[in-house]
Amino acid sequence: MGKLLLKGRTRRRGHVTISHSGFDCHIKTSHRSFHRRKSREPEPARSDGPEETRRGTGPRQTVHTAWSMASPHLSSDKRFLIVFDFDETIVDETSDDLVVQTVPGQYLPDWLKDTYQPGRYNEYMQRVLAYLAEQGVTESDMRAVMEKIPATPGMLALFQFLRTRPQTDFEVVLLSDANSFFIESWLRRTGARGLFHRIFTNPATFNKDGRLVLRPFHSHDCPRCPVNMCKQTVLRDYVTRRTQERGRPFQRLFYVGDGANDFCPALCLGPRDIAFPRRDFPMHRLITETHEATPGEFKAVTVPWASAEEVIQRLRKHVAE
């Protein structure tokens, strides 16, 4: 793979602290009423441009809507919401690291790697992608690398399980700090794109010069997350919006992730919900440390997994309810 700036298993964009005093983001499921929020979940892309500005009682947020994409027919009768991360959750590598394979020599120069600043990984990747274009890396080069990334153990079996369930069981969402081009390339190659009702990620499109232009998903004021995406904000807004549209909450929420930036949204899960952290990855370690430091702070049931077959086993129990 060559020399990479940051290793996928230890790097998760931004930092997460364990102290959560005064923080209450609990998303209440069907046994309780929901908190109402004035801020709205990102709308699908509109013909008048690729982004919109939303305002609420909180900070101003500019949301790039081209990749908060919904399926044409979003049913209101799903019992469960299941949310997936992408890098090292769906795929067994970090797509941002593997794209370096497209560069001659398969490494980045030190001057470029030294520009990384904590919490600003999206900005760093914008510079990396510009460098790739300067080195002659093409769209097809990047797509070829993305299409070869292996799935995590058992993940394709989990996708097949979700496909074969009755249509009233699962609403499936992908929430990732990768980018739309990398994710789409992999999902379409594996035939998994149609499984996802909604994809939230950083938009990335090729300009007329052939450079992949990456943009931040939104802005927010969460101190735990990188400046371009707080997954908790996205998840809370989405669940609130869908509850209003459906007229009732989901019976349970399931969150499948691995990284530190998956810990923040998992804090919003309630005691009926399930967090599926990849075993011994940062999300799992942060949950364990939180249980030890502040018992009761993390409310969801925690089911670690090494293979997604373990996720299937747990989901089978709940669909039978």
Side-chain angles (χ1 to χ4, degrees):
M1 186 184 304
K3 185 177 179 182
L4 304 182
L5 173 64
L6 295 162
K7 297 296 183 182
R9 293 196 176 193
T10 57
R11 182 203 85 211
R12 283 275 56 110
R13 303 164 186 123
H15 70 280
V16 177
T17 58
I18 300 301
S19 176
H20 315 300
S21 58
F23 179 64
D24 180 13
C25 68
H26 178 41
I27 291 179
K28 305 183 184 220
T29 46
S30 57
H31 61 301
R32 296 183 184 177
S33 61
F34 270 66
H35 291 302
R36 295 184 62 84
R37 289 169 52 86
K38 293 184 178 179
S39 58
R40 296 171 57 233
E41 171 269 333
E43 297 285 353
R46 302 181 302 180
S47 59
D48 58 351
E51 66 181 53
E52 66 174 329
T53 299
R54 67 179 180 185
R55 298 179 186 271
T57 55
R60 179 179 182 275
Q61 297 184 2
T62 299
V63 181
H64 294 277
T65 59
W67 279 98
S68 55
M69 294 294 292
S71 296
H73 304 290
L74 197 55
S75 172
S76 62
D77 59 356
K78 310 292 186 184
R79 293 196 293 156
F80 309 110
L81 175 67
I82 184 166
V83 181
F84 288 87
D85 174 47
F86 183 70
D87 287 328
E88 296 189 287
T89 296
I90 290 178
V91 295
D92 207 19
E93 300 286 349
T94 301
S95 56
D96 287 341
D97 286 350
L98 290 190
V99 77
V100 177
Q101 293 183 357
T102 62
V103 182
Q106 299 189 356
Y107 69 92
L108 300 177
D110 289 339
W111 66 262
L112 178 55
K113 293 185 288 186
D114 289 344
T115 67
Y116 169 72
Q117 296 178 352
R120 296 187 174 275
Y121 190 83
N122 185 270
E123 297 172 10
Y124 167 75
M125 278 305 299
Q126 293 175 33
R127 293 188 289 273
V128 170
L129 293 172
Y131 175 79
L132 297 186
E134 293 170 359
Q135 301 303 305
V137 175
T138 66
E139 176 178 349
S140 59
D141 293 334
M142 284 189 270
R143 180 179 288 109
V145 169
M146 295 303 119
E147 291 178 345
K148 293 177 183 178
I149 303 178
T152 51
M155 188 56 62
L156 296 182
L158 174 53
F159 286 177
Q160 183 60 22
F161 168 78
L162 294 172
R163 285 193 193 97
T164 57
R165 295 304 308 168
Q167 293 187 0
T168 56
D169 274 357
F170 292 99
E171 184 166 310
V172 187
V173 169
L174 196 157
L175 176 54
S176 169
D177 196 13
N179 69 71
S180 56
F181 177 74
F182 291 176
I183 291 172
E184 279 282 313
S185 297
W186 192 89
L187 291 179
R188 293 192 183 282
R189 193 271 298 174
T190 58
R193 177 61 183 90
L195 176 66
F196 292 91
H197 299 92
R198 198 76 181 251
I199 296 177
F200 295 97
T201 190
N202 302 298
T205 55
F206 286 89
N207 66 13
K208 60 182 178 61
D209 299 321
R211 176 167 68 92
L212 185 59
V213 178
L214 174 67
R215 293 174 292 164
F217 180 77
H218 67 177
S219 60
H220 61 87
D221 61 357
C222 176
R224 299 173 182 83
C225 294
V227 296
N228 63 291
M229 175 177 277
C230 172
K231 292 185 176 183
Q232 180 197 127
T233 298
V234 179
L235 179 59
R236 289 205 300 176
D237 287 354
Y238 183 74
V239 171
T240 300
R241 175 69 174 273
R242 291 295 292 134
T243 300
Q244 294 170 349
E245 293 173 345
R246 290 157 45 89
R248 64 187 184 282
F250 293 100
Q251 292 180 19
R252 294 182 190 273
L253 275 60
F254 305 106
Y255 192 101
V256 187
D258 73 282
N261 64 353
D262 296 310
F263 174 72
C264 190
L267 280 168
C268 288
L269 303 180
R272 286 178 53 84
D273 305 325
I274 298 180
F276 291 102
R278 195 170 181 187
R279 189 181 303 277
D280 296 329
F281 277 63
M283 180 186 181
H284 185 204
R285 293 196 292 269
L286 287 169
I287 292 172
T288 300
E289 291 169 11
T290 301
H291 281 310
E292 294 172 352
T294 53
E297 180 73 19
F298 191 88
K299 299 176 176 64
V301 176
T302 304
V303 180
W305 60 280
S307 167
E309 296 278 1
E310 297 167 80
V311 179
I312 297 174
Q313 293 174 11
R314 187 58 182 249
L315 293 180
R316 288 189 190 278
K317 297 179 180 179
H318 293 294
V319 297
E321 294 176 340

